[in-house]
Amino acid sequence: NPYWMGFLAGHPADPEFEDAWLRPGAVASLRRAPQVIELREVSIVEHLESQPDASVDAVGLSNVPDWLSAVELERLWAAVARTLVPGGRAVLRTTFLVAPLPWGSVGDSLVLDRKLSAELTHLERTGIYASVCVLERATGETRPAARPPGRHE
């Protein structure tokens, strides 16, 4: 993240090192591809709660669960589990070493891919995120892993 690195170094980001997806033209091209990516400025919990069951292929959650209360986390994970298609994924990037992952019956429907999560955490380069977790909506063929560790145990 060139902005974070510049902040740490005490100077503004150098456009030479700016990632292509951060440039204005990239945002414009994303807006031309609504069939692939849908950009929204809303509460993710409220948005997911308004969607039909099994209607979302993937959900990206950067920092979202980090600052939610236990009640709000329960709402978030219930909405994610309900709206993901079987085999759909949620990717969580969190500042916590122990990610605030789902628990209980919701945790049983979202399977933590421990191997991929560990690989992505190792590759995380911004210096902001302590963990990257990939959760997959259980299908008839996937079995939930043991309850993942979380801050609510």
Side-chain angles (χ1 to χ4, degrees):
N1 182 327
Y3 301 107
W4 178 244
M5 299 311 283
F7 171 76
L8 290 176
H11 56 78
D14 184 341
E16 178 183 350
F17 298 107
E18 187 173 277
D19 289 329
W21 65 270
L22 294 171
R23 296 199 173 111
V27 173
S29 68
L30 286 176
R31 289 197 173 113
R32 288 190 301 271
Q35 69 278 11
V36 178
I37 296 173
E38 186 175 329
L39 301 175
R40 297 207 173 235
E41 188 175 337
V42 297
S43 158
I44 187 69
V45 175
E46 290 173 9
H47 176 69
L48 290 174
E49 287 175 339
S50 74
Q51 300 304 300
D53 292 357
S55 61
V56 176
D57 295 317
V59 177
L61 302 167
S62 290
N63 298 359
V64 173
D66 291 6
W67 317 112
L68 298 178
S69 69
V71 171
E72 292 168 321
L73 271 174
E74 191 172 350
R75 273 183 68 202
L76 170 69
W77 291 127
V80 169
R82 184 185 62 76
T83 57
L84 277 178
V85 298
R89 290 182 168 181
V91 178
L92 163 65
R93 295 187 329 163
T94 178
T95 58
F96 294 122
L97 288 173
V98 178
L101 297 173
W103 61 94
S105 61
V106 171
D108 291 343
S109 64
L110 294 170
V111 180
L112 177 64
D113 185 330
R114 293 180 190 277
K115 182 178 182 213
L116 181 56
S117 296
E119 289 172 8
L120 292 175
T121 297
H122 177 72
L123 292 172
E124 210 303 301
R125 60 184 175 81
T126 65
I128 299 172
Y129 302 106
S131 337
V132 179
C133 301
V134 178
L135 299 159
E136 183 177 318
R137 173 71 195 273
T139 65
E141 299 167 7
T142 56
R143 290 200 172 303
R147 182 176 166 190
R151 68 178 185 186
H152 298 288
E153 288 193 308

